[in-house]
Amino acid sequence: MVKTLHPAARILLWCGWAVAVERAALPVLIILAVATATAFLFAPVRHEGWRLLRRTRWLLAVLLLTYAYVLPGTALWPSLGWASPSVEGLQQGVLRAGRLVLMLAGLAVLLANTSRPRLIYGLYTLARPLTWFGFDRRAFAVRLGLTLDYVEHAPKPARWLDALRVPLSDEATPATYTLEAERWQSRDSAVILAGLLLLWIVLA
């Protein structure tokens, strides 16, 4: 990913990737999966990708089992009767889990190549239309940044219940949060237009 690309453009590219992965037919989805595999050759992307997969492993498992046992079809193990997952449900579950994994892989590329302040500034930029409805995007950016900083630097308790009992430290919370402004340039528009063209080709 180009280092000088505006963070808002990067987020929009990931949104386009998510739409492509969700709507693509199976042959195109396989091509996208191969393209994703090449990104995992880079250590930062691989690190972010495994981290996201570890955090969503139970969601993926539940998603797969839900499809396998809820959707009707031919029993995978007929001898088990009602306890057997269906072949069609298992196929759809694998497909759904695979799409989610590809979305997470695209998110891993975004996170590996975009620092947290730049990512927050990208969200701040994209939230501009919401200000017409009274949304305070500055407060949103500050709260998000401070929350992520606190989560990163907070001590890791041995149990999750201990984390709920740990009082917030005033000293750990800075009084201000600063983001460096970036200008949207012509290359950002060109990349977004190219992304829209590729998305149209994928969905055609």
Side-chain angles (χ1 to χ4, degrees):
M1 187 175 294
V2 183
K3 291 184 178 180
T4 55
L5 197 62
H6 196 284
R10 299 182 182 206
I11 296 173
L12 289 175
L13 286 177
W14 177 80
C15 292
W17 169 262
V19 172
V21 168
E22 175 63 27
R23 304 299 299 175
L26 184 57
V28 178
L29 193 65
I30 295 175
I31 297 176
L32 295 178
V34 173
T36 302
T38 60
F40 273 72
L41 296 176
F42 301 94
V45 176
R46 191 164 56 249
H47 171 74
E48 288 291 343
W50 289 125
R51 183 177 65 87
L52 292 174
L53 288 176
R54 283 196 303 270
R55 293 185 175 183
T56 57
R57 62 187 184 277
W58 293 114
L59 173 61
L60 292 172
V62 170
L63 191 63
L64 179 60
L65 291 175
T66 300
Y67 272 83
Y69 280 95
V70 171
L71 292 183
T74 305
L76 182 62
W77 299 297
S79 59
L80 295 180
W82 63 268
S84 172
S86 67
V87 175
E88 293 80 2
L90 192 60
Q91 291 174 343
Q92 291 299 317
V94 170
L95 181 60
R96 173 54 53 191
R99 291 183 190 273
L100 180 56
V101 168
L102 288 180
M103 290 182 189
L104 293 175
L107 182 59
V109 174
L110 173 64
L111 296 177
N113 292 277
T114 310
S115 63
R116 182 188 302 157
R118 295 195 70 204
L119 191 62
I120 295 175
Y121 183 74
L123 294 173
Y124 170 81
T125 302
L126 294 175
R128 184 174 182 178
L130 298 179
T131 58
W132 301 336
F133 304 98
F135 180 75
D136 190 346
R137 59 177 182 151
R138 291 194 177 190
F140 163 75
V142 170
R143 290 170 183 170
L144 179 60
L146 294 179
T147 300
L148 293 178
D149 283 347
Y150 175 79
V151 170
E152 180 180 2
H153 297 98
K156 301 293 188 300
R159 298 182 303 171
W160 67 272
L161 285 175
D162 295 335
L164 298 178
R165 301 190 184 102
V166 175
L168 297 178
S169 173
D170 294 335
E171 297 178 357
T173 304
T176 60
Y177 190 81
T178 304
L179 293 175
E180 183 178 351
E182 300 185 37
R183 293 183 58 187
W184 184 278
Q185 302 188 36
S186 58
R187 60 171 169 266
D188 300 311
S189 300
V191 169
I192 293 300
L193 290 176
L196 290 174
L197 177 60
L198 290 175
L199 180 61
W200 178 78
I201 294 174
V202 168
L203 300 182

